[in-house]
Amino acid sequence: MSMSTRIRIQQQDFDLAEEYQLLRQSDSAVGAVVTFSGLVRDFELVSELGSELDRGVDRGVDRGVDRQDQSSTKNPIDLLSLQHYPGMTESLLETIVEQANQRWNLIATTVIHRVGDLVPKDQIVLVGVASQHRADAFEAAQFLMDYLKTQATFWKSVRRNGEQQWIESKASDQQAAARWDGSDDK
Amino acid sequence: MINLLFFGRLGDFAKQVPATIEASTPAEIRQLLAADFPDLARELHQPQVLVSVNKMIVGWDQPLFDGGEVAFLPPVTGG
């Protein structure tokens, strides 16, 4: 069975139903399709905006922001911009998909990541996996997202009140990716 | 000449940096930039910053050749 891979980095939106059909129709041996889509939230936690946190405290600008709980402040955003390193990102995604294909029995894999300016509720990323059995598709989809988030050369910034802020990487994402290290207990 | 690229937040510190430089390793580039761009050099010394040559992640002592492309990569935040 030949593994088919579809990797796209694009400004335009994608159609989840179309992508699902491509995975579904990729081979008659497909018994499971898992898709994950990541969306633009209308807020970022202050803890994700490192320099903003410092300055927000200094200037007291977060006083008026609605606090959802005592540990984090949600700051609304107007725009999310995604930068990437053309050429390098594609080859990193290919490598990540190859790794997934070595660990699980996959029939078809799709990774679509948007770049440029996005607004809340926009789709950012799609990972789709088709396999004979569900465990392979579920696990591979999680692996692909965990590795994409920690290895693929994308950088997010947000804009609000006319000011651009780069998003800081999160330790929780590193921990999520690290759980796949060293254990080939598929 | 070596072509320079700065991604993510590093780009904010590199707006005045020339697009090319003469250097034999990424570490030397970082050293050369420190004179005119100390804030950028400090950022490049952060342990999480990776360097690539011709779109491959390499060590800071990787030998460079004329026409090469060196990119400085802060921690990625896609997905």
Side-chain angles (χ1 to χ4, degrees):
Chain A
M1 198 181 314
S2 67
M3 159 78 187
S4 71
T5 300
R6 178 172 154 79
I7 293 171
R8 296 282 185 279
I9 296 166
Q10 60 190 40
Q11 279 197 300
Q12 70 264 31
D13 202 6
F14 53 81
D15 185 330
L16 180 59
E18 268 175 39
E19 299 302 329
Y20 169 73
Q21 287 302 331
L22 287 172
L23 290 163
R24 181 189 161 201
Q25 305 290 349
S26 59
D27 194 293
S28 55
V30 170
V33 174
V34 167
T35 62
F36 169 83
S37 21
L39 311 179
V40 180
R41 281 187 296 264
D42 67 354
F43 67 89
E44 287 295 336
L45 298 176
V46 166
S47 59
E48 293 170 356
L49 299 165
S51 55
E52 180 69 7
L53 175 63
D54 303 336
R55 276 188 285 155
V57 170
D58 289 348
R59 298 189 308 213
V61 294
D62 66 345
R63 270 180 222 142
V65 175
D66 179 35
R67 280 182 188 273
Q68 298 292 321
D69 60 55
Q70 291 187 324
S71 63
S72 65
T73 301
K74 291 179 175 179
N75 275 340
I77 67 160
D78 304 320
L79 191 75
L80 180 98
S81 298
L82 271 146
Q83 182 191 42
H84 85 117
Y85 188 178
M88 187 163 186
T89 316
E90 289 85 347
S91 65
L92 286 167
L93 290 177
E94 279 167 26
T95 302
I96 293 167
V97 170
E98 277 167 29
Q99 287 174 280
N101 200 30
Q102 282 164 14
R103 292 177 75 130
W104 293 279
N105 288 314
L106 309 181
I107 297 171
T109 302
T110 299
V111 179
I112 301 176
H113 203 299
R114 296 179 68 194
V115 292
D117 292 344
L118 304 173
V119 296
K121 297 182 184 170
D122 276 353
Q123 303 184 109
I124 303 174
V125 61
L126 170 76
V127 161
V129 182
S131 62
Q132 289 185 24
H133 303 288
R134 71 180 184 282
D136 289 301
F138 271 128
E139 288 180 24
Q142 284 208 300
F143 170 90
L144 288 165
M145 272 310 299
D146 288 343
Y147 269 49
L148 181 156
K149 283 189 85 82
T150 53
Q151 296 189 3
T153 40
F154 294 100
W155 295 274
K156 277 188 191 130
S157 62
V158 295
R159 186 172 290 276
R160 47 198 184 82
N161 307 325
E163 199 180 346
Q164 189 191 28
Q165 295 284 332
W166 291 99
I167 299 285
E168 301 283 323
S169 67
K170 283 183 279 183
S172 57
D173 288 333
Q174 296 293 334
Q175 287 155 10
R179 71 186 150 143
W180 303 105
D181 290 349
S183 66
D184 262 277
D185 56 338
K186 60 170 190 175
Chain B
M1 297 296 268
I2 305 298
N3 300 298
L4 298 179
L5 293 171
F6 300 88
F7 285 96
R9 64 194 302 269
L10 297 177
D12 292 350
F13 294 89
K15 285 177 180 152
Q16 311 298 324
V17 173
T20 61
I21 199 167
E22 294 279 6
S24 56
T25 64
E28 189 188 352
I29 295 174
R30 188 168 58 179
Q31 200 180 334
L32 292 169
L33 292 173
D36 290 331
F37 308 98
D39 292 344
L40 174 62
R42 197 186 60 240
E43 292 293 323
L44 295 179
H45 273 284
Q46 297 285 326
Q48 319 91 294
V49 171
L50 300 179
V51 62
S52 69
V53 173
N54 299 333
K55 302 186 172 72
M56 301 280 287
I57 304 285
V58 297
W60 287 88
D61 294 324
Q62 175 80 13
L64 301 176
F65 299 97
D66 193 40
E69 179 178 278
V70 173
F72 298 95
L73 315 169
V76 298
T77 52

